[in-house]
């Protein structure tokens, strides 16, 4: 099965779904008729390790080790090794969705061997008490795998991790020395498994170009190990690196030892650089043009960006192609109870992008100087839904994760309308900015189209710092938007930040109070605190003096350069807030301890909260519906009503009336109007139905109504229309 290009994701990213980079590039290569094959070596290594044969070899290796000093937990696992070997294949099949009835056994106390991870259960009984059998089984099976993982880390390979490997070697590696030394050591146990799988694939595929995508620091070591093996055994194969890690970390790489492993390192959008690298390999000539590509010339690392061609537009890059990836082999786990983080590890999601880059592109902590943020290019809604339908047909999966930096509200609206027009059933989630465009009606539309969750950056819940960050939102606005999503039934996750330059202790505590109130009022369901990190390509990293911080060094390393160590002129130790912030959030997410004083979360004195206790509640006062823009689109999500005329008698007068009966998915409801208004409604609602191609504006509806009757505003804000607004008459 010879192929021109072999696309590889090295261990490890996610267990439940493939990282999409290779699928994106393969989709593009299809448009150029360049043959390619792809593999996620991470899931293949995990399945080889977590199998009956894999565990037999693992325990043999551990028992053969010269280091016999094991913890009590490791000794317990060794003593129970036969139980682990007996159950592992069944548990993996269960987590792959192939053996659902095993959940009943897993949920009993005597099926899985238990080590230290299961001690968490005593603390989480309340949290998981209401879980279904399948979910509880997944969580228990996950603890079981994590016990084995702990054993591997202690007794076999300290660098092991389910979603990363030897991540320490890739983080802030300004010098290549440590990684280079590690690569010149004997293979680790995990290396042996990885190389055995890679060897078989290389021998079968025999590619001209091996393209290794490195999204994260935790993929870096394995990427170099793969490249090292191919260089040693198949020197005729050219090897290129791309992906998120080089895009952010290796933009100034100059250590020529890196090119003992890789022939090319390309930056930013990969389509055109990969095509040009491939053309150079095929042509074999001495003079070739490249796009954003590092290579070695005359013993010196050079950066080539001499191709005058522009990058491909999103319309031309093709649909991601998941062919060759073992989609039925991924495993769904439930590691922690954070509802949004669960979505990252449970279930398989097709990855798509609504828009390249970020339409806002101003946040001062973000890498807005780099193309993946800076170059904003939306994809047409019809093309997005074309790709949705194509992926459903090819993968059999109707779950989609739009991996946007921040999905544009207007495009989300058009995508939702297109999904509904085509009458297809999908589930999808994405990342957004909490901006005022997300009205109640838009959130309802997104929900009806299949949106199940959104995540967004609240960052520091302080209006002063949000302005300094240039987030373009206020805490009050965030509260209103999260309310709109929550009330429509969409889960909301907030990214939270502490330790931003010039942030005071008072602002940290007040930010926590804002978060507490968001959970208390029920408009936020999930969150995660991140400590601020200064990166080289963000405004803070580029102009630190504007933000009150000083770089510890101006030296640029010869390998990775992104995370920057800095000194905050405030002198505040933000690290000490980490435990209290995260522990309080864990409890808030489960609706408990919301009445605790914030001091209770910290073992040191904190200042008194300066935020009024009803700040968020006041911000959530009902927004007015009396400010509809004439250009707003009006759509009807319901069906055609049944009508019934009758005469109403009152004080000697008679009135011709109409009852309109509607059939919602959950209930049947009725409205009552005069006959003329009822007839107009019955005839006009089908015109603005979601299935129609023409979209009517509010002004067009008003004009149509007033051609037959008077007092449109009186009618529009009447009780019958208000009821319809609650059942799917949306103004967008």
């Amino acid at each position: 099965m010879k192929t021109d290009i072999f696309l590889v994701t090295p261990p490890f990213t996610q267990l439940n779904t493939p990282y999409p980079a290779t699928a994106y590039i393969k989709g593009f290569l299809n448009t150029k008729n360049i043959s390619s094959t792809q593999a996620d070596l991470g899931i293949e290594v995990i399945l080889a390790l977590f199998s009956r044969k894999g565990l037999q070899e693992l325990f043999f290796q551990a028992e053969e080790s010269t280091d016999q000093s094991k913890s009590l937990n490791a000794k317990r696992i060794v003593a129970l090794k036969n139980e682990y070997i007996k159950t592992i294949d069944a548990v993996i099949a269960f987590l792959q969705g192939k053996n659902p009835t095993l959940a009943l056994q897993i949920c009993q106390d005597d099926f899985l061997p238990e080590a230290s991870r299961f001690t968490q259960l005593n603390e989480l009984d309340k949290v998981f008490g209401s879980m279904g059998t399948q979910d509880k089984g997944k969580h228990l099976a996950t603890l079981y795998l994590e016990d084995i993982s702990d054993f591997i880390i202690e007794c076999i390979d300290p660098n092991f991790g389910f979603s990363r490997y030897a991540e320490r070697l890739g983080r802030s590696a300004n010098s290549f020395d440590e990684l280079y030394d590690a690569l010149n050591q004997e293979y680790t146990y995990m290396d042996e498994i990885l190389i055995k799988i890679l060897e078989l694939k290389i021998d079968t595929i025999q590619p001209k170009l091996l393209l290794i995508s490195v999204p994260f620091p935790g993929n870096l070591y394995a990427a170099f190990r793969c490249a090292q093996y191919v260089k040693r055994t198949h020197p005729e194969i050219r090897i290129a690196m791309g992906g998120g890690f080089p895009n952010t970390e290796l933009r100034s790489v100059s250590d020529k030892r890196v090119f003992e492993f890789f022939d090319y390192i390309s930056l930013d959008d990969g389509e055109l650089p990969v095509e040009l690298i491939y053309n150079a390999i095929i042509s074999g000539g001495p003079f070739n043009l490249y796009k954003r590509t590092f290579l070695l010339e005359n013993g010196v690392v050079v950066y080539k960006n001499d191709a005058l061609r522009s990058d491909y537009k999103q319309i031309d890059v093709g649909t991601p192609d998941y062919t060759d990836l073992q989609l039925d082999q991924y495993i769904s786990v439930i590691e922690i109870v954070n509802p949004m983080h669960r979505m990252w590890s449970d279930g398989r999601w097709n990855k798509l992008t609504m828009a390249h880059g970020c339409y806002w592109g101003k946040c001062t902590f973000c890498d807005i100087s780099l193309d993946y943020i800076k170059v904003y290019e939306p994809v047409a809604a019809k093309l997005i839904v074309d790709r949705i339908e194509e992926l459903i047909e090819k993968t059999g999966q109707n779950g989609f994760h739009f991996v946007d930096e921040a999905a544009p509200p207007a495009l989300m609206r058009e995508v939702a309308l297109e999904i509904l027009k085509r009458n297809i059933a999908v589930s999808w989630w994405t990342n957004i900015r909490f901006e005022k465009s997300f009205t109640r009606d838009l959130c309802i539309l997104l929900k009806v189209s299949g949106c199940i969750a959104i995540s967004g950056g609240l960052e520091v819940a302080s209006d002063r710092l949000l302005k300094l960050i240039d987030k373009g939102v206020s805490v009050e606005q965030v509260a209103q938007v999260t309310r709109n999503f929550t009330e429509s039934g969409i889960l909301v996750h907030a990214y939270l930040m502490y330790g931003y330059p010039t942030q005071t202790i008072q602002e940290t505590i007040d930010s926590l109070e804002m978060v507490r109130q968001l959970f208390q009022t029920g408009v936020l369901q999930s969150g995660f605190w991140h400590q601020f990190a200064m990166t080289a390509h963000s405004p803070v990293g580029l102009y630190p003096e504007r933000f009150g911080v000083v770089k510890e060094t101006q030296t640029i390393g010869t390998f990775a350069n992104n995370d920057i160590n800095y000194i905050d002129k405030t002198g505040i130790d933000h690290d000490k807030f980490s435990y209290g912030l995260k522990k309080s959030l864990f409890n808030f997410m489960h609706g408990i301890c919301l009445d605790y004083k914030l001091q209770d979360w910290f073992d040191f004195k904190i200042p008194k909260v300066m935020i009024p206790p009803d700040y968020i509640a006041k911000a959530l006062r009902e927004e007015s519906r009396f400010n509809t823009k004439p250009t707003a689109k009006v759509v009807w999500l319901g069906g055609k009503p049944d009508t019934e005329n009758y005469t109403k008698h009152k004080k000697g007068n008679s009135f011709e009336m109409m009852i309109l009966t509607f059939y919602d998915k959950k209930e049947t409801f009725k409205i009552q109007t005069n006959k003329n208004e009822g007839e107009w409604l019955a005839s006009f609602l089908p015109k603005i139905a979601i299935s129609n191609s023409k979209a009517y504006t509010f002004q067009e509806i008003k004009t149509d109504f007033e051609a037959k009757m008077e007092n449109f505003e009186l009618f529009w804000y009447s009780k019958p229309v208000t009821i319809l607004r609650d059942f799917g008459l949306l103004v967008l």
Side-chain angles (χ1 to χ4, degrees):
M1 187 186 70
K2 289 187 178 182
T3 304
D4 289 333
I5 299 179
F6 183 27
L7 305 156
V8 166
T9 305
F12 294 109
T13 50
Q14 291 173 260
L15 299 177
N16 64 310
T17 197
Y19 193 77
T22 61
Y24 274 62
I25 294 297
K26 182 174 175 60
F28 165 72
L29 293 173
N30 291 344
T31 69
K32 297 296 175 181
N33 295 315
I34 299 173
S35 62
S36 63
T37 301
Q38 63 185 325
D40 178 358
L41 298 182
I43 191 63
E44 296 195 38
V45 169
I46 288 292
L47 294 178
L49 179 60
F50 288 86
S51 65
R52 185 180 184 90
K53 183 174 182 289
L55 288 193
Q56 286 172 337
E57 294 175 354
L58 179 75
F59 284 116
F60 176 79
Q61 180 80 11
E63 290 166 349
E64 288 291 301
S65 171
T66 55
D67 181 10
Q68 296 300 314
S69 59
K70 294 184 178 68
S71 68
L72 289 175
N73 189 59
K75 289 178 180 178
R76 173 175 175 78
I77 291 174
V78 169
L80 293 169
K81 70 176 183 180
N82 288 335
E83 292 300 319
Y84 285 102
I85 291 169
K86 180 179 80 174
T87 52
I88 187 64
D89 285 345
V91 169
I92 292 296
F94 166 68
L95 292 175
Q96 290 172 329
K98 300 173 183 176
N99 191 14
T101 56
L102 190 71
L104 297 169
Q105 270 191 292
I106 290 176
C107 291
Q108 296 174 359
D109 293 336
D110 58 352
F111 181 71
L112 294 179
E114 299 180 5
S116 62
R117 293 285 182 153
F118 283 78
T119 59
Q120 302 173 24
L121 287 177
N122 293 331
E123 302 173 16
L124 298 178
D125 276 345
K126 291 182 180 178
V127 175
F128 288 106
S130 60
M131 289 183 80
T133 302
Q134 290 294 316
D135 281 355
K136 188 173 183 181
K138 282 184 183 179
H139 180 64
L140 295 174
T142 303
L143 297 179
Y144 160 93
L145 293 183
E146 288 177 338
D147 274 335
I148 301 173
S149 173
D150 291 342
F151 179 77
I152 294 170
I153 292 169
E154 179 181 341
C155 301
I156 302 295
D157 190 340
N159 287 317
F160 180 75
F162 277 119
S163 59
R164 60 191 62 85
Y165 184 79
E167 185 177 40
R168 176 186 58 81
L169 294 174
R171 283 204 175 278
S172 301
N174 300 101
S175 168
F176 189 51
D177 290 347
E178 189 176 3
L179 179 55
Y180 191 71
D181 289 344
L183 292 165
N184 281 293
Q185 303 299 316
E186 294 294 321
Y187 282 163
T188 67
Y189 184 75
M190 299 302 298
D191 291 342
E192 296 280 2
I193 297 174
L194 169 62
I195 297 305
K196 189 179 295 184
I197 293 171
L198 178 63
E199 180 180 25
L200 180 61
K201 290 185 179 296
I202 292 292
D203 289 344
T204 303
I205 297 167
Q206 299 178 38
K208 297 181 179 71
L209 171 63
L210 172 63
L211 185 60
I212 302 179
S213 175
V214 185
F216 308 115
N219 303 94
L220 188 67
Y221 171 84
F224 272 87
R225 271 301 195 202
C226 291
Q228 181 185 53
Y229 165 77
V230 174
K231 277 290 177 194
R232 287 174 177 172
T233 59
H234 298 273
E236 75 282 1
I237 297 174
R238 293 289 169 263
I239 309 173
M241 180 202 296
F245 182 86
N247 289 350
T248 53
E249 301 277 355
L250 301 185
R251 303 189 77 87
S252 56
V253 61
S254 60
D255 193 321
K256 66 181 182 180
R257 293 175 298 173
V258 172
F259 293 87
E260 295 174 18
F261 304 84
F262 291 92
D263 298 291
Y264 313 95
I265 296 176
S266 68
L267 303 180
D268 301 327
D269 290 359
E271 289 84 5
L272 183 55
V274 168
E275 181 185 13
L276 293 174
I277 289 170
Y278 173 75
N279 290 342
I281 293 170
I282 295 301
S283 70
F287 303 107
N288 295 287
L289 299 179
Y290 296 94
K291 194 79 171 178
R292 297 186 303 273
T293 299
F294 288 99
L295 46 86
L296 200 65
E297 275 188 356
N298 302 318
V300 178
V301 179
V302 296
Y303 179 65
K304 297 280 191 174
N305 193 25
D306 42 19
L308 298 178
R309 292 171 57 186
S310 300
D311 281 296
Y312 285 94
K313 297 294 184 182
Q314 292 300 299
I315 193 173
D316 298 318
V317 297
T319 301
D321 185 348
Y322 289 88
T323 306
D324 312 318
L325 297 174
Q326 302 173 15
L327 299 182
D328 62 341
Q329 299 295 303
Y330 286 85
I331 59 178
S332 291
V333 296
I334 300 180
E335 302 170 73
I336 55 177
V337 293
N338 181 307
M340 178 59 81
H341 285 195
R342 171 184 172 172
M343 294 177 66
W344 284 96
S345 60
D346 185 19
R348 216 198 68 67
W349 304 95
N350 292 316
K351 311 277 188 173
L352 276 177
T353 309
M354 288 194 199
H356 180 286
C358 180
Y359 69 96
W360 180 250
K362 297 179 182 179
C363 298
T364 54
F365 62 82
C366 189
D367 293 336
I368 60 175
S369 65
L370 299 184
D371 282 0
Y372 83 97
I373 300 287
K374 181 173 65 176
V375 180
Y376 174 65
E377 183 192 347
V379 182
K382 289 185 177 181
L383 179 57
I384 292 170
V385 183
D386 286 344
R387 290 173 176 173
I388 286 175
E389 292 191 305
E390 185 177 341
L391 282 171
I392 291 174
E393 183 178 353
K394 287 184 175 179
T395 68
Q397 303 284 341
N398 71 341
F400 290 85
H401 177 200
F402 289 100
V403 291
D404 290 65
E405 299 302 321
L411 183 54
M412 290 174 71
R413 177 190 69 188
E414 296 308 309
V415 169
L417 289 169
E418 190 66 23
I419 288 171
L420 292 168
K421 284 176 183 176
R422 299 194 195 187
N423 200 29
I424 56 177
V426 295
S427 298
W428 60 274
W429 53 295
T430 191
N431 191 56
I432 65 156
R433 285 180 65 247
F434 291 117
E435 64 167 80
K436 60 185 179 182
S437 300
F438 290 107
T439 62
R440 167 192 173 275
D441 283 13
L442 177 55
C443 291
I444 291 172
L445 176 75
L446 299 177
K447 169 65 176 176
V448 173
S449 76
C451 181
I452 56 174
I454 57 92
S455 58
L458 172 53
E459 319 309 352
V460 182
S462 154
D463 285 337
R464 181 188 80 85
L465 289 169
L466 285 172
K467 188 173 181 180
L468 187 62
I469 290 171
D470 204 359
K471 193 71 185 178
V473 301
S474 65
V475 176
E476 179 179 354
Q477 183 177 310
V478 170
Q480 293 167 353
V481 170
T482 55
R483 182 267 317 277
N484 292 342
F485 277 111
T486 297
E487 289 185 350
S488 70
I490 296 173
L491 184 148
V492 182
H493 173 87
Y495 294 110
L496 306 165
M497 184 187 295
Y498 63 102
Y500 190 81
T502 73
Q503 182 172 354
T504 65
I505 294 174
Q506 183 69 61
E507 285 171 325
T508 298
I509 298 308
D510 288 350
S511 183
L512 175 58
E513 170 62 13
M514 292 287 203
V515 172
R516 186 195 69 80
Q517 290 186 30
L518 288 168
F519 279 99
Q520 185 180 46
T521 52
V523 299
L524 189 61
Q525 295 78 54
S526 175
F528 190 81
W529 287 103
H530 302 259
Q531 187 166 358
F532 168 78
M534 190 162 83
T535 59
H537 311 292
S538 67
V540 180
L542 293 169
Y543 315 105
E545 65 283 353
R546 298 181 187 175
F547 299 90
V549 293
V550 177
K551 293 181 182 179
E552 286 188 355
T553 178
Q554 297 293 331
T555 303
I556 297 176
T558 58
F559 186 52
N561 291 284
N562 190 40
D563 288 356
I564 299 175
N565 293 327
Y566 65 94
I567 299 168
D568 189 334
K569 291 181 181 179
T570 64
I572 296 171
D573 177 14
H574 295 288
D575 288 345
K576 67 180 183 179
F577 293 96
S578 177
Y579 181 77
L581 291 173
K582 292 175 181 178
K583 185 177 181 181
S584 59
L585 183 63
F586 178 88
N587 286 275
F588 296 164
M589 283 194 294
H590 297 103
I592 55 178
C593 305
L594 287 162
D595 57 345
Y596 279 29
K597 293 181 179 178
L598 297 192
Q599 179 65 67
D600 296 341
W601 302 113
F602 302 93
D603 57 6
F604 53 89
K605 185 69 175 175
I606 63 170
K608 182 181 177 181
V609 172
M610 301 300 290
I611 303 299
D614 60 348
Y615 182 91
I616 297 298
K618 284 185 175 179
L620 294 175
R621 287 172 179 163
E622 185 65 32
E623 293 174 299
S624 172
R625 289 184 177 179
F626 296 91
N627 54 356
T628 306
K629 294 181 179 179
T631 56
K633 291 183 179 180
V634 182
V635 297
W636 170 237
L637 300 180
K640 187 176 181 179
D642 290 339
T643 59
E644 178 184 351
N645 295 319
Y646 74 99
T647 302
K648 180 179 181 180
H649 301 281
K650 186 176 182 181
K651 294 181 180 180
N653 296 317
S654 59
F655 305 91
E656 295 298 314
M657 305 293 291
M658 179 178 285
I659 295 174
L660 293 87
T661 303
F662 296 86
Y663 302 95
D664 184 61
K665 280 192 288 189
K666 289 188 175 182
E667 59 184 292
T668 301
F669 67 95
K670 300 175 185 289
I671 63 170
Q672 178 179 295
T673 69
N674 66 51
K675 185 179 179 183
N676 289 339
E677 291 174 350
E679 288 177 345
W680 180 85
L681 261 182
S683 65
F684 202 81
L685 285 177
K687 294 180 182 178
I688 59 172
I690 197 73
S691 56
N692 285 344
S693 56
K694 175 173 170 51
Y696 284 82
T697 65
F698 183 75
Q699 181 61 49
E700 287 173 324
I701 291 175
K702 179 181 179 182
T703 300
D704 190 275
F705 182 92
E706 291 179 343
K708 304 172 181 65
M709 292 166 283
E710 298 178 346
N711 298 322
F712 175 75
E713 279 76 13
L714 189 63
F715 165 74
W716 184 254
Y717 298 111
S718 66
K719 182 178 179 181
V721 175
T722 300
I723 293 173
L724 290 179
R725 294 290 303 273
D726 290 333
F727 281 94
L729 180 59
L730 305 181
V731 180
L732 305 168

